[in-house]
Amino acid sequence: MARVMIVGAGGVGRVVAHKCAAQPEFSDILLASRTLEKCNQIAKDINSPKITTAALDADVVSNTVKLIQEFRPEILINVALPYQDLALMDACLETKVNYLDTANYEPPDVAKFEYSWQWAYQERFKNAGITAILGCGFDPGMTGVYTAYAFKHYFDEIHYLDIIDCNAGSHGEAFATNFNPEINIREITQNGRYYENGQWVEVPALSVHRPIDYPEIGFRESYLLYHEELESLVKNFPTIKRARFWMTFSENYITHLRVLEAVGMTRIDPINYEGTQVIPLKFLKAILPEPSSLAENYTGQTSIGCHIRGLKDGKERQYYIYNNCDHAASYKEVGSQAISYTTGVPAVVGALMLVQELWKKPGVFNVEEFDPDPFMELVAKLGLPWHEVIDQDSPFEA
């Protein structure tokens, strides 16, 4: 039996709290966020005696340290903003508590994300005797576990990796993002980047795209983005010759985004408005629909997976592994849409791997550095079944 502390009370936090409350391995759950009312509403909806709530400004390390010392969790699950990753890791170091997150650190003043800041904690976590599991959502997260599983069971060398992410759902809004608008738009408006032949290739944002056929959905226009798991996967699987990430966007979404960019609403530098410093993207976030509010009327599916090619016993193999998740079914189960569900479930499975001591070793690790088999077995049972297509033609050229 373990005590778990969850930081963040958005859509993903709701899923994590629901799923943790249902696991016998977790005896007590503390749900903490800057906005106590959100925590209390989630706790009320779940109605489990395991859950207590607290207000927390996670930007202030001493605040988190104090709460950890009072609650004494075995693991802290961070589903707050990526800006807070380092502050929460610092608090875990000070209190010797294990750490897990779903997205890597971003500095607030630069639209850039990379693992270097968190990888730099390796020796400190190792010396403290605690574990940090990085990027344990879906992408990153399941995509890394899928790759590790493919390597363990089907390949001696992985050469080509294409991660594909489709949201074919409909929420009825003219323009909205499926998770935090600020983080979402910062990610999408960066230049695209992919790995090929030992170097990173950069292209203008959303300039490379192609239709991709997704199971049960069909063809959707998919755009090449830079995504954080590419950085860790090419490091941990050095035989990779090329790694790319693709995500679908509707024509309507792209049109709105380009207009917002053109008029300066996606800027992250402050401007002076009537004597007040305002960051346009933060203002835009405030007026866009709250992502969790989309859940009730969401229909359709997501489809996320990995197309992998490489060698086994000297012969070329092709492999595709994926999950489809239904928005309406996710809402019926936990009150969140599928984007939150597919992020929250792997976070809970990762926490279970740690408390069961299957993924527990001192240091800082990405998910693909652990044994994928027990994770894959449990994640299917907890709501994200996976499917394999073996040795059929890949939609991607060599």
Side-chain angles (χ1 to χ4, degrees), residues 119 148 232 235-237 361 364-371:
W119 284 344
S232 68
K235 171 177 174 282
N236 291 317
F237 298 96
K361 54 184 176 180
V364 175
F365 303 96
N366 293 91
V367 293
E368 66 268 16
E369 296 179 82
F370 296 102
D371 181 5

Side-chain angles (χ1 to χ4, degrees), residues 115-382:
Y115 277 116
S116 62
W117 292 289
Q118 292 179 276
W119 284 344
Y121 281 70
Q122 169 67 21
E123 288 305 312
R124 282 174 283 174
F125 268 74
K126 187 175 181 179
N127 292 337
I130 56 176
T131 303
I133 301 174
L134 306 183
C136 196
F138 207 110
D139 46 349
M142 283 304 311
T143 51
V145 179
Y146 283 172
T147 304
Y149 184 82
F151 179 73
K152 180 176 179 178
H153 294 282
Y154 296 101
F155 293 95
D156 297 321
E157 296 182 7
I158 291 176
H159 290 170
Y160 301 100
L161 169 65
D162 283 279
I163 298 170
I164 58 173
D165 182 331
C166 173
N167 177 21
S170 174
H171 48 58
E173 297 285 346
F175 181 78
T177 61
N178 295 297
F179 58 95
N180 185 286
E182 185 179 351
I183 302 302
N184 187 211
I185 291 172
R186 283 166 59 117
E187 175 184 298
I188 294 167
T189 54
Q190 290 186 56
N191 281 343
R193 192 154 55 111
Y194 63 96
Y195 181 84
E196 188 163 32
N197 296 326
Q199 62 184 2
W200 292 100
V201 181
E202 193 165 293
V203 297
L206 305 177
S207 64
V208 177
H209 52 96
R210 59 181 294 169
I212 295 173
D213 191 9
Y214 293 87
E216 300 180 38
I217 292 169
F219 285 91
R220 291 290 188 276
E221 199 67 17
S222 306
Y223 293 78
L224 187 146
L225 305 180
Y226 177 67
H227 225 243
E228 60 218 69
E229 65 262 49
L230 298 180
E231 181 184 15
S232 68
L233 287 168
V234 300
K235 171 177 174 282
N236 291 317
F237 298 96
T239 61
I240 289 179
K241 298 178 180 180
R242 187 187 66 207
R244 302 180 295 193
F245 183 96
W246 307 83
M247 182 176 284
T248 61
F249 301 102
S250 68
E251 185 176 341
N252 176 69
Y253 187 97
I254 296 293
T255 299
H256 276 81
L257 184 65
R258 286 186 167 143
V259 170
L260 290 167
E261 275 192 285
V263 298
M265 287 302 299
T266 63
R267 288 171 52 178
I268 63 172
D269 55 311
I271 62 168
N272 186 297
Y273 175 71
E274 295 184 352
T276 301
Q277 293 293 299
V278 177
I279 296 175
L281 183 54
K282 286 185 177 293
F283 176 77
L284 178 61
K285 172 189 172 183
I287 61 175
L288 286 175
E290 170 69 31
S292 61
S293 72
L294 306 174
E296 185 173 2
N297 298 312
Y298 228 131
T299 58
Q301 296 185 80
T302 63
S303 182
I304 309 173
C306 299
H307 280 280
I308 301 171
R309 288 188 295 136
L311 296 179
K312 179 69 173 179
D313 299 326
K315 297 180 181 179
E316 182 166 301
R317 299 209 73 173
Q318 304 195 40
Y319 179 78
Y320 173 42
I321 182 168
Y322 69 94
N323 163 267
N324 276 32
C325 188
D326 185 85
H327 286 290
S330 299
Y331 181 76
K332 183 177 180 180
E333 181 186 347
V334 299
S336 290
Q337 34 90 336
I339 307 296
S340 298
Y341 192 88
T342 55
T343 304
V345 171
V348 176
V349 176
L352 287 167
M353 292 294 99
L354 187 141
V355 301
Q356 293 171 7
E357 300 193 351
L358 297 169
W359 280 19
K360 189 174 184 179
K361 54 184 176 180
V364 175
F365 303 96
N366 293 91
V367 293
E368 66 268 16
E369 296 179 82
F370 296 102
D371 181 5
D373 288 3
F375 189 105
M376 292 285 280
E377 181 180 354
L378 186 56
V379 79
K381 292 178 180 177
L382 262 62

Side-chain angles (χ1 to χ4, degrees), residues 61-71 95:
V61 175
S62 60
N63 291 348
T64 307
V65 167
K66 183 175 184 293
L67 199 55
I68 288 174
Q69 289 173 338
E70 292 172 355
F71 183 66
T95 54

